[in-house]
Amino acid sequence: ENLFSLLSSYNNIENIPVNITLTPAAYTGSAVYINANNTAILQELSLNLGKIASRVQQACYGNCEENIPEKTCKDNLIIWTQSSDKEIYQKENCIFIKGDIASVDAFLYKLFNP
């Protein structure tokens, strides 16, 4: 059964490097925090991870200027940064996603299809 829905086609994401060891089990029943200042990115991650996580919530990586929680790589934290270079990598429980919506979809695809 296909648990996730992506905005990008597989052809658009198959060549984006995704270096993660996480599986959906890491997020199942747990809180997942997202550091992204882009509504489309937040929605794409929330829609897909919300199906397995206990909750998905916006957070900051490091110092926070907004009134949202500050989280570290000890938490399930996804950090998205807009970039012309596309890459996804993991450091402890942090997932760093660089690029655009296709990078987010590449991460989700790899997560749900290890």
Side-chain angles (χ1 to χ4, degrees), residues 4-112:
F4 61 102
S5 54
L6 305 178
L7 291 174
S8 307
S9 73
Y10 182 73
N11 293 345
N12 288 353
I13 64 173
E14 64 180 333
N15 295 321
I16 300 173
V18 182
N19 296 302
I20 63 169
T21 55
L22 238 68
T23 65
Y27 294 145
T28 302
S30 301
V32 177
Y33 300 97
I34 303 170
N35 180 31
N37 58 353
N38 178 302
T39 306
I41 301 293
L42 287 166
Q43 286 177 337
E44 185 82 340
L45 288 165
S46 299
L47 176 77
N48 287 288
L49 296 175
K51 295 173 184 176
I52 58 170
S54 63
R55 75 175 193 275
V56 179
Q57 183 180 343
Q58 203 171 355
C60 289
Y61 178 57
N63 292 336
C64 214
E65 289 168 22
E66 302 163 71
N67 189 16
I68 52 179
E70 292 181 11
K71 296 294 172 184
T72 69
C73 289
K74 295 194 180 354
D75 304 290
N76 286 326
L77 180 60
I78 298 168
I79 300 105
W80 175 80
T81 314
Q82 186 150 11
S83 171
S84 54
D85 298 324
K86 295 181 165 99
E87 71 169 325
I88 298 97
Y89 60 93
Q90 180 177 344
K91 183 180 147 198
E92 296 178 7
N93 291 338
C94 280
I95 300 291
F96 292 89
I97 301 175
K98 293 187 175 169
D100 54 19
I101 196 82
S103 300
V104 171
D105 285 344
F107 159 69
L108 291 167
Y109 187 84
K110 173 80 174 193
L111 180 71
F112 289 108

